[in-house]
């Protein structure tokens, strides 16, 4: 993670972060997915998402409509909503949840750690729990002026 | 094809994504100086007290910053007043307190010393007064007369009259000790031999105003005979008469004068003695039995004892002696004890 002008950025390296699956932009997927590896969502996924062995990266423009479970870190840049409009989605992150400035979520978050950035729109409850197993993140926290 | 390549093929290559501005403490944030970050055992961006003391320049409060836009002296005066109303300089306050404290201590010590001096020597103030000739005989303020009923001044009660010398009943005259000693001597030795033939001092009726001059003085001091006669009437008793110039027309008066014999024991009157100054005959004392009286011999200035019928040095004959009244009557005048 790099800091530039007081903003942090991250480098997503699929190979280093063991991201094996991708929902390409313009893709609309319905159902449930369980990924043994990281997942990048750039399209729309309606259903439950369970990601283990890797991070969950919800890119800007990506939409997840359903519950989310991630055993490692989750980088949320897109949109998260519940199964229905009046229901909040349940997000469980064993690692750290990064709520980026472009995130729009209507969910209840349960994570070991979380980091909020200015501009994020989160409608829901945020709860932190002791992470039973924290996966080492590839985020570079060195600051660069 | 490796898995990595497959992954890159499927997922894509690595790419850089901006998360945004984190919420909360941020590094390199100019506003972070308002917050404290604990790092390496100290608060970051914090200034220690020592740094503030030694580095921060002290603002001079004695300099008045006058706004150039302000008009007149009102603004400067207001600033000056604001300076005055500030807390006083600690150093100046301490100096003032020290000065006042020193003054108070010195004044108290001076008062204590003055009171001690006054209490230690209360009679020193009376020494100048006691320097008078009669001072040795004058009793001190705290002394009391040796009267039977005399009491110390401090013990005098209100309404109780303390006897004093003024209230003593005069009664019979108290003869001085030296005179009394002379009275105790036998009459034969003390009786002066009065020259009956001629008085040494001319009588008041035949007094001539001649001022006796001591030997060696110029004769100009001696007034002429004419003026002496004119002033004869005005000659007081204290005036001394010259034996030569004022001698009556008697043979005894023309007897050549002999040098005065200073006889302390012999009260014999020497009419031939020429004394430059003669004291008048004064009644000194009266004997308790009332038979004799003491008169001062002008020639010798010694008291002499005379009885009734005898002639005193003044040429007068004693007629009567009143011991109670202290008076002696002569054929010419009456003498009274002073």
């Amino acid at each position: 993670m790099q800091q530039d002008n007081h903003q942090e950025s991250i480098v997503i390296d699929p190979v280093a972060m063991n991201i094996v699956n991708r929902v390409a932009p313009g893709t609309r997927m319905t159902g449930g997915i369980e990924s043994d590896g990281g997942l990048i969502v750039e399209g729309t996924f309606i259903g439950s998402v369970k990601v283990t062995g890797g991070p969950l990266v919800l890119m800007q423009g990506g939409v997840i409509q359903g519950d989310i479970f991630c055993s490692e870190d989750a980088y949320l840049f897109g949109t998260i909503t519940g199964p229905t409009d009046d229901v909040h989605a349940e997000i469980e992150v064993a690692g750290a949840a990064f709520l980026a400035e472009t995130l729009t979520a209507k969910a209840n978050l349960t994570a070991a750690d979380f980091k909020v950035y200015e501009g994020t729109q989160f409608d829901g409850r945020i709860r932190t729990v002791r992470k039973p197993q924290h996966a080492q993140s590839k985020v570079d926290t060195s600051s660069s002026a | 094809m490796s898995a990595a390549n497959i992954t890159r093929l499927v997922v894509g290559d690595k790419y850089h994504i901006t998360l945004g501005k984190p919420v909360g403490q941020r590094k390199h944030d100019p506003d972070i100086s308002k917050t404290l970050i604990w790092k390496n055992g100290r608060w970051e961006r914090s200034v220690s007290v020592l740094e503030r003391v030694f580095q921060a320049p002290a603002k001079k409060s004695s300099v008045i910053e006058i706004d150039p836009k302000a008009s007149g002296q009102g603004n400067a005066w207001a600033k000056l007043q604001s300076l005055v109303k500030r807390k006083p300089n600690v150093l100046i306050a301490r100096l003032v307190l020290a000065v006042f404290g020193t003054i108070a201590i010195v004044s108290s010590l001076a008062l204590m010393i003055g009171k001690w001096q006054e209490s230690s020597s209360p009679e020193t103030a009376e020494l100048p007064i006691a320097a008078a000739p009669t001072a040795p005989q004058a009793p001190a303020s705290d002394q009391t007369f040796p009267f039977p009923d005399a009491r110390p001044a401090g013990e005098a009660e209100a309404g109780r009259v303390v006897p004093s010398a003024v209230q003593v009943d005069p009664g019979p005259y108290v003869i001085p000790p030296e005179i009394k000693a002379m009275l105790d001597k036998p009459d034969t030795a003390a009786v002066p031999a009065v020259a009956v033939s001629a008085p040494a001092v001319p009588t008041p009726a035949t007094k001539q105003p001649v001022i006796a001059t001591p030997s060696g003085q110029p004769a100009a001091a001696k007034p002429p005979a004419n003026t002496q006669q004119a002033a004869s009437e005005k000659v007081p008793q204290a005036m001394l008469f010259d034996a030569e110039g004022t001698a009556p027309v008697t043979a005894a008066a023309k007897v050549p004068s002999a040098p005065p014999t200073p006889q302390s024991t012999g009260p014999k009157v020497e009419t031939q003695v020429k004394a430059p100054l003669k004291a008048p005959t004064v009644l000194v004392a009266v004997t308790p039995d009332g038979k004799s009286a003491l008169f001062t011999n002008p020639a010798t200035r010694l008291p002499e004892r005379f009885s009734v019928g005898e002639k005193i040095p003044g040429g007068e004959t004693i007629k009567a002696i009143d011991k109670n009244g202290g008076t002696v009557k002569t054929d010419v005048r009456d003498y009274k004890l002073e």
Side-chain angles (χ1 to χ4, degrees), chain A residues 58 62-66 68 76 78-82 89 91 103-107:
Chain A
L58 178 59
V63 178
I64 297 178
Q65 186 176 356
I68 299 171
L76 307 174
T79 303
I80 300 175
T81 59
I91 303 172
L103 174 64
T104 301
K106 185 177 180 182

Side-chain angles (χ1 to χ4, degrees), chain A residues 112-133:
Chain A
D113 295 315
F114 68 95
K115 192 166 186 179
V116 182
Y117 295 87
E118 292 185 359
T120 188
Q121 298 180 9
F122 194 92
D123 180 11
R125 180 187 73 248
I126 297 177
R127 184 175 63 177
T128 58
V129 294
R130 180 185 300 237
K131 49 188 176 180
Q133 185 177 2

Side-chain angles (χ1 to χ4, degrees), chain B residues 211-214 216-225 227-228:
Chain B
I211 299 173
T213 59
Q217 289 189 359
K222 189 173 184 181
T227 58
Q228 294 176 2

Side-chain angles (χ1 to χ4, degrees), chain A residues 56-95:
Chain A
L56 173 62
V57 182
L58 178 59
M59 298 297 289
Q60 185 177 2
V63 178
I64 297 178
Q65 186 176 356
D67 297 338
I68 299 171
F69 175 82
C70 178
S71 63
E72 292 186 4
D73 298 338
Y75 304 91
L76 307 174
F77 299 87
T79 303
I80 300 175
T81 59
T84 58
D85 295 339
D86 55 349
V87 177
H88 284 64
E90 296 295 331
I91 303 172
E92 293 184 13
V93 178

